[in-house]
Amino acid sequence: MPPKVDREKCDGCKAEKESLCEQVCPGDLMHLGEDQKAFCRMPRDCWDCMSCIKACPKGALETRIPYQLGYHVARLIPMMGTNTITWTCIDLNGKVERYQYRNRGSDD
Amino acid sequence: MEKTKAPSKIGLFIFDPGGGLARAVDLGTVVQKLIKMKNVSRCEVIADIWSGFLVSVKEDLKAGNLNRLLWVGRFSPYQEKIIKAELSAEGLNPYLHEWCDVEEQGVGKEGPDRAVQTQKVMMLVQMAVGRARLIEALEPVSLPAVDAVLIIGAGVAGLHAASSLVKLGKRVYLVEKESGVGGKVASLHRLYPRICDPRCGLEFEIEKLRGSNKLELHTLSRVKGLDGGPRNFEVKIEKAPRYVSEERCNGCGKCAEVCPVTIPDDSTSHLPQNPHQSGKKAIHSPTPMAFPSAFVVERRYCPPQCRECVKACPTNSVDLEQTPSDMTLRAGAIIATTGWDPYPLSKVEEYGYGLYPNVISNLEAERLLENPPELKEVGFIQCAGSRDEKHLNYCSSVCCSVSLKQALSLKERLPNSRFSIFYQDIRTPGFDEELYQRVKSLDKVIFIRGLPSTVKPDGENGRLKIRAEDTLSGKEVTLSLDLLVLAGGMAPSGGTGEIAELFNLPRNNFGFFESHLQCHPEESQRAGIYVGGACRGPMNVGQSIESTHRAMVEALQFIDGTFLVEPTHPLVDKTKCDKCKRCMEDCPFSAYYFDSEGFPTPDLARCRQCGNCMGTCPLTAISLRHFTIKQTAAQIQAIKVSSLPKEEPVILAFLCKNDAYHAAREAADSDAVIPANVFFIKVPCAGSVNNALLADALSFGIDGILIAGCKDGQCHSVRGNQLVKTRSGDLADKLKKMMIEPERVRFEHLEIRDSGRYVELVNSYMRDLKAMGPNPFKV
């Protein structure tokens, strides 16, 4: 399922030739529309790797959870730190679980 | 990268001269715990830095037992300097010191719980150790500088700056669009307060420049482009043809004698006959003042095929086939002294300027001062088009004194004439008041408070009928005048607009060059480019000279051989950067350019090291050296939230070092009680805080993050505060989606004297956070 784009937040990476989501998408699916807002041009090809969601500096992208996994309220939100990533996982009942990971970084 | 280097061996010294820290904190336990920390090789409490202590540190450095030093406690700037100097003699780079002032964080006061304070000191020192492990030796970067200053505009400001620079032995390029120098001031007749001739003062400066081989004067020239950066600007200029060789012409004037064309003088149309302005030929001496001395031909007035001047010239210097030429000048710094333009008074329709020949502007009135025609009744209207929202929305600050000066000089020549001055307020700041008093004491000079409503011809006799209400007496005044002088205001010059566009310099609401008026009035917002004189705002001649000198002194630093840049500049990690160029967009000083591989790179000469690029980089690829993202992340990571009681909120504050930090420091020095669980990190600008750091802090369980920056319009890096406000706002929105209270990230304005507000702020934030409950990421 393609990511949801918050059109108010998305600034098209300020008229960049290639926005960050476009650069990072392994399937080359994200694009900037004529209105300079990002969109997924082939929704069925997206395999929810969430790279674009992690990359978006404005926090304008959110993954859409496939219905087989969770309805409506269900959400999965990553937050990127310098060397950490935290996940907020909200299931269809609104139950929240959070995980925090330290990346196996290059410097330790 | 780190692995290849020798491991950090940190010498940790807790400075407690009066024993005050020991009274509030259990230093014994602190030392015992710290000595066990990774990378800490030596840890002790010291009472003073002398008495053999520094010697022992030097020995340890020499033996290789220590390679970084962490100083805990408050050192005076003098002590810091001494320590750095003493140890750099032993080969320790000054950037390998880390200073951790625990007192500014609110520790060391007697009263609060000793255990709590001990814990806070532990935490702070651990943070500092985390950072100290990662600090590196840095050397200042030296950049070459072109040893010349380019000055745009050879008016009074430009000439004075040029002559002072030449006196200091510096090379100067002076670019002027007219054929001669002097600008507006050369067209004035008298200068207040001494009522002397401005040409005298200008000639004095020109004389100094004439003999100098350091000055290169380009008249009839316009700036066409700018390349390069501070210390190495390349300015393209276009030089219009003069048609007379500057090298050969001796200014004898034989050409003007034979020239068949007399050209109309530009601004005499409204004036009664003035003998001084007549008889200018198509080939003439440069105006406003004849420097250079070579004559100039105004080709548009030449009759076709006329070659009289060529034939008459004894030195063979007239060349009517000259074409415009382009040049590139290289300079280390630029000073714009583009001056002002008189406000077009024809726009102030009610006063009939341009309609009636005897309504003239104050600038034109200057020409009358020396030899005025017989005038019985003269009127002055102050604020003509100034302090008026339809025209100039500001006070030009000099027009009152100018009109007073003109009235005074005219009165000398015309003792029996009557002068009426219509005004809103007479504004004669400072010593100009004396001028006002002098004019007031004159016979037959009346001041009427109120601006005329109509100016009409008085019948057929060529006089003017003027009607006004005297708002002091409430009576209507009707006068018949021979001459009406409109005190028009100072508007930004056309040149200012041109240069602002070409150089990308911001302008203020009124169209003058923008500068940080209180602290750095001479600074444009581009490094190496300074603004001086009336292009910055209305000012009188004296102020203009002062202001341009201030610009000149600042410009000097950019032209002195080589220049040392502090090594704390941003560095782009090319392995991480994906060229999104957000740093370029957000850099308040436009310091970024693309290098040969297409990576954004800061121009170190332009960079002010505010760190906004570091704050904005979505990939955390940019770091200020000595204040890297990694160092700050390590500092944040060292806050062991789990060791504190879960119900006690922990606040991490990022404080702008210019304002908010000083407020916090003052608060700590006062009696105010600062909650123990507030830790702050000093940042170069609030805008240098990266969202990844905030995410780190939240994920480590810190309950609230406070970012404190300047108010809008006060930020030293122009808009860093706004950038961080937007970014932290984005993060707060994300927190909301994550079902975390968005208030856990807060941006606040703090001014330097807001220490009381800082205390209030952290206390109220503490209460809010307590009500919210612990951060869900807290374990």
Side-chain angles (χ1 to χ4, degrees), chain A residues 9 16 23 82 84 98 100, chain B residues 580 696 699 730 733 738:
Chain A
K9 277 255 146 80
E16 202 49 42
Q23 283 188 30
T82 55
T84 58
R98 301 181 203 274
Q100 195 225 92
Chain B
C580 80
D696 266 358
S699 71
D730 286 343
D733 289 347
M738 291 164 62

Side-chain angles (χ1 to χ4, degrees), chain B residues 295-469:
Chain B
F295 275 45
V296 57
V297 186
E298 293 202 38
R299 278 293 259 153
R300 62 204 154 113
Y301 296 111
C302 286
Q305 307 307 324
C306 170
R307 290 288 179 274
E308 292 301 323
C309 48
V310 182
K311 286 180 215 155
C313 181
T315 58
N316 213 359
S317 49
V318 183
D319 172 14
L320 295 178
E321 311 308 325
Q322 257 182 18
T323 47
S325 57
D326 289 328
M327 293 178 89
T328 303
L329 305 176
R330 288 162 55 88
I334 297 175
I335 303 175
T337 52
T338 45
W340 58 283
D341 272 350
Y343 184 72
L345 287 167
S346 48
K347 285 193 187 166
V348 196
E349 283 162 358
E350 59 269 35
Y351 298 148
Y353 182 84
L355 289 177
Y356 315 121
N358 40 1
V359 180
I360 63 172
S361 73
N362 47 359
L363 206 54
E364 289 162 337
E366 288 288 329
R367 303 181 170 203
L368 286 179
L369 299 185
E370 191 183 357
N371 205 356
E374 195 47 46
L375 299 163
K376 286 218 174 67
E377 290 269 356
V378 182
F380 288 88
I381 299 181
Q382 296 309 111
C383 300
S386 295
R387 302 174 63 199
D388 181 342
E389 57 195 25
K390 285 186 299 208
H391 304 288
L392 300 179
N393 208 353
Y394 50 87
C395 166
S396 290
S397 79
V398 299
C399 339
C400 286
S401 305
V402 167
S403 292
L404 294 171
K405 166 202 81 177
Q406 289 176 344
L408 196 69
S409 329
L410 276 175
K411 196 75 189 167
E412 270 175 29
R413 313 265 168 181
L414 307 165
N416 295 320
S417 309
R418 236 165 72 104
F419 291 78
S420 315
I421 299 173
F422 296 92
Y423 69 97
Q424 296 186 50
D425 303 287
I426 292 286
R427 292 187 170 177
T428 47
F431 304 138
D432 292 1
E433 179 69 16
E434 192 200 350
L435 190 67
Y436 184 29
Q437 298 304 341
R438 260 167 87 187
V439 176
K440 258 170 129 180
S441 67
L442 292 175
D443 194 25
K444 286 191 182 171
V445 177
I446 27 175
F447 288 86
I448 302 162
R449 190 174 195 275
L451 296 183
S453 49
T454 57
V455 176
K456 294 230 165 70
D458 188 9
E460 296 298 310
N461 58 9
R463 292 165 68 92
L464 294 163
K465 193 171 191 173
I466 185 165
R467 189 169 287 161
E469 194 198 333

Side-chain angles (χ1 to χ4, degrees), chain B residues 173-223:
Chain B
Y173 295 109
L174 186 54
V175 179
E176 168 60 48
K177 65 179 191 304
E178 300 294 334
S179 57
V181 299
K184 294 277 178 312
V185 172
S187 66
L188 304 182
H189 185 68
R190 293 280 160 199
L191 287 186
Y192 67 86
R194 294 201 175 176
I195 319 292
C196 55
D197 192 329
R199 290 206 168 216
C200 157
L202 286 171
E203 195 57 52
F204 192 67
E205 296 307 313
I206 292 171
E207 202 47 56
K208 290 183 204 159
L209 292 172
R210 246 186 215 123
S212 170
N213 52 6
K214 294 278 182 189
L215 175 83
E216 205 176 304
L217 174 64
H218 295 279
T219 46
L220 294 167
S221 301
R222 280 178 178 278
V223 177

Side-chain angles (χ1 to χ4, degrees), chain B residues 2-11 37-42 64-69 96 128-136:
Chain B
E2 284 292 310
K3 276 178 191 158
T4 55
K5 283 181 194 161
S8 307
K9 292 178 187 165
I10 302 170
M37 275 183 83
K38 196 177 144 197
N39 297 103
V40 176
S41 307
R42 179 174 165 186
N65 298 336
L66 296 176
N67 57 14
R68 269 143 239 243
L69 298 178
L96 290 176
V129 170
R131 197 180 124 77
R133 281 189 193 125
L134 299 174
I135 53 179
E136 289 171 31

Side-chain angles (χ1 to χ4, degrees), chain B residues 617-646:
Chain B
C617 181
L619 297 167
T620 59
I622 306 179
S623 276
L624 287 188
R625 305 184 75 187
H626 203 60
F627 188 70
T628 62
I629 296 243
K630 268 188 200 161
Q631 287 164 359
T632 315
Q635 233 173 321
I636 296 171
Q637 204 187 321
I639 308 176
K640 294 275 176 279
V641 180
S642 52
S643 66
L644 298 165
K646 195 170 180 181

Side-chain angles (χ1 to χ4, degrees), chain B residues 26-223:
Chain B
D26 187 358
L27 285 181
T29 334
V30 171
V31 172
Q32 263 173 25
K33 279 189 185 165
L34 286 173
I35 193 81
K36 288 184 199 140
M37 275 183 83
K38 196 177 144 197
N39 297 103
V40 176
S41 307
R42 179 174 165 186
C43 177
E44 54 198 63
V45 180
I46 54 172
D48 78 287
I49 57 170
W50 309 113
S51 61
F53 164 69
L54 276 181
V55 178
S56 75
V57 175
K58 277 182 192 171
E59 275 165 10
D60 270 350
L61 286 170
K62 214 185 268 174
N65 298 336
L66 296 176
N67 57 14
R68 269 143 239 243
L69 298 178
L70 170 56
W71 305 92
V72 179
R74 180 165 289 180
F75 293 84
S76 70
Y78 174 73
Q79 285 165 330
E80 283 190 22
K81 202 171 80 181
I82 291 289
I83 290 173
K84 278 187 191 174
E86 284 278 325
L87 298 180
S88 74
E90 214 47 59
L92 188 74
N93 187 287
Y95 289 92
L96 290 176
H97 295 274
E98 174 63 19
W99 308 91
C100 171
D101 184 351
V102 288
E103 284 171 39
E104 69 186 19
Q105 302 265 5
V107 178
K109 285 176 204 165
E110 288 183 50
D113 191 353
R114 201 172 151 89
V116 172
Q117 292 213 45
T118 308
Q119 192 153 35
K120 180 157 186 178
V121 168
M122 271 306 290
M123 207 74 93
L124 288 168
V125 178
Q126 278 165 356
M127 284 168 78
V129 170
R131 197 180 124 77
R133 281 189 193 125
L134 299 174
I135 53 179
E136 289 171 31
L138 301 172
E139 292 299 334
V141 187
S142 85
L143 297 174
V146 180
D147 65 333
V149 179
L150 183 120
I151 301 173
I152 303 166
V156 69
L159 281 174
H160 274 265
S163 91
S164 299
L165 280 166
V166 161
K167 212 190 290 169
L168 293 172
K170 310 292 178 193
R171 280 201 301 134
V172 178
Y173 295 109
L174 186 54
V175 179
E176 168 60 48
K177 65 179 191 304
E178 300 294 334
S179 57
V181 299
K184 294 277 178 312
V185 172
S187 66
L188 304 182
H189 185 68
R190 293 280 160 199
L191 287 186
Y192 67 86
R194 294 201 175 176
I195 319 292
C196 55
D197 192 329
R199 290 206 168 216
C200 157
L202 286 171
E203 195 57 52
F204 192 67
E205 296 307 313
I206 292 171
E207 202 47 56
K208 290 183 204 159
L209 292 172
R210 246 186 215 123
S212 170
N213 52 6
K214 294 278 182 189
L215 175 83
E216 205 176 304
L217 174 64
H218 295 279
T219 46
L220 294 167
S221 301
R222 280 178 178 278
V223 177

Side-chain angles (χ1 to χ4, degrees), chain A residues 6 9 11-18 20 23 53-62 75 77-88 90 94 96 98-100 102 106-108, chain B residues 1-3 38 576 578-582 585-586 616 618-620 629-630 633 637 691-696 698-701 723 726 729-731 733-740 776-777:
Chain A
D6 182 338
K9 277 255 146 80
D11 62 357
C13 283
K14 301 194 175 167
E16 202 49 42
K17 204 161 66 200
E18 263 200 333
L20 281 170
Q23 283 188 30
I53 291 146
K54 292 178 195 162
C56 180
K58 297 285 290 176
L61 300 178
E62 194 188 332
R75 279 176 149 172
I77 303 168
M79 181 170 71
M80 309 291 290
T82 55
N83 214 18
T84 58
I85 177 162
T86 52
W87 291 94
T88 302
I90 305 171
V96 185
R98 301 181 203 274
Y99 312 95
Q100 195 225 92
R102 294 279 301 283
S106 51
D107 23 75
D108 266 331
Chain B
M1 237 164 76
E2 284 292 310
K3 276 178 191 158
K38 196 177 144 197
K576 272 187 172 180
D578 71 348
K579 308 175 184 174
C580 80
K581 88 175 171 44
R582 230 161 241 270
E585 291 280 340
D586 284 350
T616 200
L619 297 167
T620 59
I629 296 243
K630 268 188 200 161
Q637 204 187 321
N691 268 3
L693 292 173
L694 308 186
D696 266 358
L698 288 167
S699 71
F700 294 143
L723 292 171
T726 325
D730 286 343
L731 187 70
D733 289 347
K734 187 163 194 167
L735 289 181
K736 211 166 161 186
K737 283 188 201 160
M738 291 164 62
M739 318 258 278
I740 294 177
F777 284 109

